[in-house]
Amino acid sequence: MNRLTLRRPDDWHLHLRDGAAMRSVLGFTAARFGRAVVMPNLKPPVTATAQALAYRRRIVEALPAGCGFEPLMTLYLTDNTPPDEVDRALESGAVCGIKYYPAGATTNSDSGVTSLERTFDVLARMEERGLVLQLHGEVTDPEVDVFDREKVFVDRHLARIVDRFPALRVVLEHVTTRAGVDFVRSQGPGVAATVTPQHLLLNRNALLVGGVRPHHYCLPVLKREADRLAVLEAATSGSPKFFLGTDSAPHARSDKESACGCAGVFSAHAGIELYAEAFEAAGALGRLEAFASHHGPDFYGLPRNAGSISLVADAWTAPPSYPFGDSEIVPFRGGEPVRWRLATGTA
Ligand code: NCD
Ligand code: ZN
């Protein structure tokens, strides 16, 4: 197959940052996706609806005229989020979910949740009002090995959340393990997961063999091959519980290539193309459209996009870096061929 036309997809997990950095990366996402769920881990975090609306305005103002891209905003859950914030979020019509970062789990998560119990009132209101909970599903317990942190989160926390709030809609963001996939599969339709391109394409060897590869470092960290295969199988299975969320997370090159490098892989420049490659390798290109363009809006209760994009099997090579504010970012696969190319000029 040389050309693949899909209903316009959405990215259900994206980091856009703010200011000049945001303006540097936004166009990559807007060229491919109809909507994106914009993560709230700015400095300071987007904890209130009013902040989310102001952030949304900054994003929309940075879009080229006539661009139909729609940012779907999120709030950052803290120990002190008032349940009324759930009502304000829903009334705004612009907030699609609340993001739960365990405190200290990842980039800009210091204001995150210190214990699950502290969020019960908010989760109860979200369950009642029908607002989606988006989870960074990793424990921060220093005793737990970094490769086990997702599984332990599922066992200790996610199992309790779904048990206590059975009608709450929950997305286990960037699922990376067989344990995570199995848990999501074992639950009803209100529990789903997003999947990144790097967790479909790479295992932890890509991080650690032949030298440390800081541009392959993200959280949750890349896992072993058996986990990659489980995540790939889930994403390509046709199950509506799994959908596209790039977790594209740009950091300036100097913050990645450092003695203590930041977590995050920037993939927005090839945010649909990389998935096409993974699905093709799995013999499942025919299931890409449902994963990228149907399952996400169906889960969130939003209409599927109108319009389409096309990909052509015509390899291209991303540059080794892109401008990023007054700095630069190193894209995923930069300087190496990507098999599918976005055809421009499609509706
Ligand atoms: C994200 C970031 O940089 O904001 N980093 C990452 O490795 N995925 C945060 C996150 O989603 O964990
Ligand atoms: Zn993320």
Side-chain angles (χ1 to χ4, degrees), residues 10 12 193-196 200 234-236 242-245 275 279 287-296:
D10 301 300
W12 298 93
T194 54
V195 181
T196 80
L200 291 175
T236 58
F242 298 94
F243 43 87
L244 186 158
Y275 287 100
F279 274 63
R287 297 206 170 128
L288 178 63
E289 183 179 38
F291 171 82
S293 316
H294 301 168
H295 299 165

Side-chain angles (χ1 to χ4, degrees), residues 5 17 67 92 99 103 178 180 183 195 197 249-250 252 258 297 305 308 326 334:
T5 297
R17 314 306 186 203
C67 172
S92 77
K99 179 69 186 277
R178 175 176 295 283
F183 183 86
V195 181
S258 150
N305 289 321
S308 61
D326 56 10

Side-chain angles (χ1 to χ4, degrees), residues 256-326:
K256 297 282 296 173
E257 298 175 7
S258 150
C260 184
C262 291
V265 169
F266 175 71
S267 61
H269 67 296
I272 184 68
E273 297 90 323
L274 293 163
Y275 287 100
E277 198 168 304
F279 274 63
E280 183 178 39
L285 258 188
R287 297 206 170 128
L288 178 63
E289 183 179 38
F291 171 82
S293 316
H294 301 168
H295 299 165
D298 295 355
F299 178 85
Y300 274 87
L302 293 169
R304 296 174 181 180
N305 289 321
S308 61
I309 61 163
S310 291
L311 299 174
V312 285
D314 175 25
W316 59 289
T317 302
S321 68
Y322 288 107
F324 183 58
D326 56 10

Side-chain angles (χ1 to χ4, degrees), residues 87-100:
D87 304 321
R88 284 190 282 277
L90 281 163
E91 278 144 29
S92 77
V95 174
C96 73
I98 300 189
K99 179 69 186 277
Y100 180 128

Side-chain angles (χ1 to χ4, degrees), residues 3-6 8 31 307-311 342-347:
R3 190 179 183 92
L4 188 62
T5 297
L6 310 173
R8 184 172 288 278
S308 61
I309 61 163
S310 291
L311 299 174
L342 181 72
T344 49
T346 47

Side-chain angles (χ1 to χ4, degrees), residues 204-217:
R204 63 195 191 178
N205 285 5
L207 183 62
L208 297 168
V209 172
V212 172
R213 310 284 178 151
H215 299 289
H216 288 165
Y217 174 57

Side-chain angles (χ1 to χ4, degrees), residues 132 162 166-172 183-193 239-243 295-296 298-301:
V132 171
V162 299
L168 181 64
R169 279 183 303 145
V170 178
V171 182
L172 179 60
F183 183 86
V184 169
R185 280 217 164 105
S186 75
Q187 299 298 308
V191 179
S239 164
K241 289 171 154 295
F242 298 94
F243 43 87
H295 299 165
D298 295 355
F299 178 85
Y300 274 87

